[in-house]
Structure formats: C-alpha cells, structure tokens
C-alpha cells in the first residue's frame, strides 16, 4: 500500500518494466521508459502493467517500448478467476506513448475483472494500435465501467480503436478462404465462467491522423461487446473504415472517418444488433453486413 514511483528513467528492461501486483494506492508520476532503448521491437517489454491493483494513478509519463505501453491486467485464466481480484479505480492522465503494440490496453490477462478505468489527455505517436481491448475464450472475467476522453493519435499503423475478443486467433469474417475451409469447428460454445465479457465502455473526443483500419469491434458470438458509446471522433488518412462485428447496443455519434479509398463505405456492421448511428438505430445486421457512410 501507498506506493510512489516518481521522476525516474528506466531503460532496457528485458520484460515488463513497472508491474505493481495486488497493490493499493499506487502513484506512478513523471516516469520515462525506453525499453529497450536500442531496439524498440523487443518482445514483452511492456511499460506499466498494474495487475489486480486498486486506486492507481499514472500521470505525466513518457513511454516507448516494444510491447504494450500501459496495460491493465488481473490474472490469466483459472488463476485469475481463482484469486478474483479485479484491477479497479485506475486513472491514466497526460501520458505520451511513442512506440509500442498498444497505447492504453486492457487485457488480455483480465480474468479477475477490470472496472472503473479513466483515461484522459493522452497522446499516441506511432503505436501499432491506439486504444486496445483484448481477450479470448478461456479467460473469463468482466471488463466494465471504462471512460476514455480526449485522446490524440498520429501514424497508427493498425486500428486507433480495437476490441478483439479473438486475441491470438481470428474471428468470424477475418479468416482467409483457405482458413475458413480448414476450420470445421462451427459450434458456438455455451457461456461459462471462462467467457470474457466487455461492457459499459464510453469513449469520446478522439482524434487520429493516419491509421490502418479506423475501428474494429470483434466480440464473441456467445458474448457480444455490449453498451459501448463512441462520440466525437475524427480519423483522417485511414486505410479503411470501421467494422463492428458481434456487438450489441453500440452508439456512434458525431463520427468522421476519411479513408484513402475514395467512394467506399466508412462503416460496416455484421452480426450486430441495436447499433445507433447519429440517432438512427439499426436493429440487426446479419453476416452479409450492412454498409453505410458516416455523415
């Protein structure tokens, strides 16, 4: 309890750099992480990973690493569920992420649950993904009560906003024809304690110049991503538009996506229900998908 890490510079850690676990009242302030300093593609060199912690503030940090920059975790699979201690009451403010797989990330080890997370006033410059939510079958756990506001990004090679519950694999519609033909397991598994759930997530005031696909929501057929609001987002110079798959009760408001491909759609919805776009509700989109353009 009562942990302070302040105004230090850490370089060349061979693995996760700052990893408080099962802690209460943690402040990480004014920390610089170059990890590793010579080769920013080193694997598993995460920046700051609070795990099953409570009451954490991370502020005014500069992070350039070879894996995720700041990641919220709470244990993996059966071990995480056994201890059952969520990561909760986390505030991340005024941080700059230069290199990494993701800027601010939740998962994939979130089996004890994650809740009450606040991210504001952060900048991502060149991270592979911006805001990254990831899990997979077998993890279990609930991620809920996430509030993100005022994020600026530039040159994000993949998605500025990514939900992927097929982490480590490919979801429906993501496979190649060869992979789809080889995959004979089509049954949707039942919901159990091993089924991860992501819900009640609210994102606003996001600006990104230069990206791959603008957004990707990829829930599970048995457990769609639920109750997500995304408001006041501008993404320019994107390679592709947004895709929402296996999601319910998603509200998109005042979204502008400009893609490098002129004349194409900027939003595709498939296997999704109750998607509201600027006040208009689309009750259901099947596997063939519904395409439209943001106004």
């Amino acid at each position: 309890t009562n942990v302070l890490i302040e105004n230090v510079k850490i370089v060349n850690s061979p693995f996760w750099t700052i990893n408080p676990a099962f802690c209460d009242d943690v402040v990480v302030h004014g920390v610089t992480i170059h990890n590793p300093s010579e080769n920013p593609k080193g694997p598993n060199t995460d920046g700051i990973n609070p795990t099953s912690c409570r009451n954490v503030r991370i502020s005014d940090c500069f992070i350039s690493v070879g894996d995720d920059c700041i990641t919220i975790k709470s244990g993996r699979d059966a071990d995480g569920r056994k201890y059952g201690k969520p990561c909760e009451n986390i505030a991340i403010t005024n941080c700059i992420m230069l290199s990494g797989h993701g800027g601010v990330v939740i998962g994939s080890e979130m089996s004890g649950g994650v809740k009450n997370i606040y991210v504001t006033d952060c900048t991502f410059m060149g991270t592979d993904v911006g805001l990254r939510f990831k899990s997979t079958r077998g993890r279990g756990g609930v991620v809920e009560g996430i509030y993100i506001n005022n994020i600026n990004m530039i040159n994000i090679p993949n998605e500025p906003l990514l939900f992927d519950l097929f982490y480590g694999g490919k979801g429906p519609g993501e496979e190649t024809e060869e992979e789809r033909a080889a995959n004979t397991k089509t049954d949707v598994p039942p919901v159990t304690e091993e089924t991860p759930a992501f819900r009640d997530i609210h994102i606003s005031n996001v600006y990104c110049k230069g990206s791959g696909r603008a957004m990707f929501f990829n829930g599970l057929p048995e457990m769609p991503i639920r109750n997500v609001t995304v408001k006041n987002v501008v993404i320019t110079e994107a390679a592709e538009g947004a895709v929402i798959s296996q999601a319910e009760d998603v509200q998109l408001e005042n979204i502008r996506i400009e893609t490098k491909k002129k004349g194409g759609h900027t939003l595709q919805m498939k296997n999704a229900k109750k998607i509201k776009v600027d006040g208009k509700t689309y009750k259901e989109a099947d596997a063939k998908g519904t395409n439209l353009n943001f106004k």
Side-chain angles (χ1 to χ4, degrees), residues 145-149 199-204 227-230:
I146 315 298
Y147 301 88
I148 300 173
N149 181 56
R199 63 197 185 204
D200 301 332
I201 298 168
H202 310 283
I203 300 169
S204 59
N227 190 23
V228 177
T229 61
V230 181

Side-chain angles (χ1 to χ4, degrees), residues 44-229:
N44 295 323
T45 52
D46 296 44
I48 303 172
N49 290 359
T51 300
S52 294
C53 291
R54 186 172 182 269
N55 303 327
V56 177
R57 179 175 179 180
I58 302 169
S59 62
D60 301 288
C61 293
F62 179 91
I63 303 170
S64 183
V65 294
D67 207 319
D68 293 324
C69 294
I70 297 177
T71 310
I72 311 301
K73 299 178 179 288
S74 63
R76 178 173 176 172
D77 299 345
D79 279 344
R81 296 193 299 272
K82 174 184 175 182
Y83 288 106
K85 183 172 177 57
C87 212
E88 59 182 328
N89 307 340
I90 315 293
I92 301 169
T93 60
N94 199 37
C95 292
I96 297 175
M97 289 53 149
L98 184 62
S99 175
H101 287 177
V104 173
V105 182
I106 295 179
S108 66
E109 302 94 320
M110 36 61 70
S111 302
V114 172
K115 60 183 179 180
N116 302 336
I117 310 297
Y118 301 85
V119 183
T120 61
D121 302 306
C122 290
T123 299
F124 311 150
M125 297 185 290
T127 57
D128 293 348
V129 175
L131 299 166
R132 187 183 188 195
F133 300 78
K134 56 181 179 176
S135 188
T136 190
R137 288 171 175 150
R139 291 282 190 266
V142 177
V143 172
E144 60 186 347
I146 315 298
Y147 301 88
I148 300 173
N149 181 56
N150 198 25
I151 307 297
N152 291 287
M153 312 184 205
I154 188 169
N155 297 333
I156 306 299
N158 298 299
E159 294 88 356
L161 177 54
L162 173 64
F163 292 84
D164 187 8
L165 270 66
F166 282 87
Y167 177 65
K170 295 184 178 180
E174 289 295 289
E175 311 95 330
T176 64
E177 291 297 332
E178 292 78 10
E179 289 169 332
R180 191 177 297 111
N183 183 12
T184 57
K185 185 177 180 180
T186 58
D187 294 339
V188 175
V191 173
T192 69
E193 65 173 3
E194 297 183 359
T195 307
F198 283 63
R199 63 197 185 204
D200 301 332
I201 298 168
H202 310 283
I203 300 169
S204 59
N205 299 312
V206 175
Y207 304 90
C208 179
K209 180 181 179 181
S211 73
R213 179 167 42 187
M215 301 181 198
F216 187 34
F217 289 41
N218 191 29
L220 296 171
E222 68 273 22
M223 183 62 71
I225 301 160
R226 289 190 170 94
N227 190 23
V228 177
T229 61

Side-chain angles (χ1 to χ4, degrees), residues 242-260:
V243 176
I244 295 179
S245 176
Q246 309 294 350
E248 294 183 9
D249 294 309
V250 175
Q251 181 176 340
L252 306 174
E253 184 177 323
N254 194 27
I255 310 294
R256 191 176 93 225
I257 296 175
E258 298 177 4
T259 65
K260 296 175 182 177

Side-chain angles (χ1 to χ4, degrees), residues 273-290:
K273 297 180 180 179
K274 292 186 283 185
I275 310 299
K276 181 182 285 188
V277 181
D278 290 328
K280 181 178 179 180
T281 299
Y282 297 82
K283 292 183 178 181
E284 187 166 4
D286 61 17
K288 293 181 181 180
T290 299

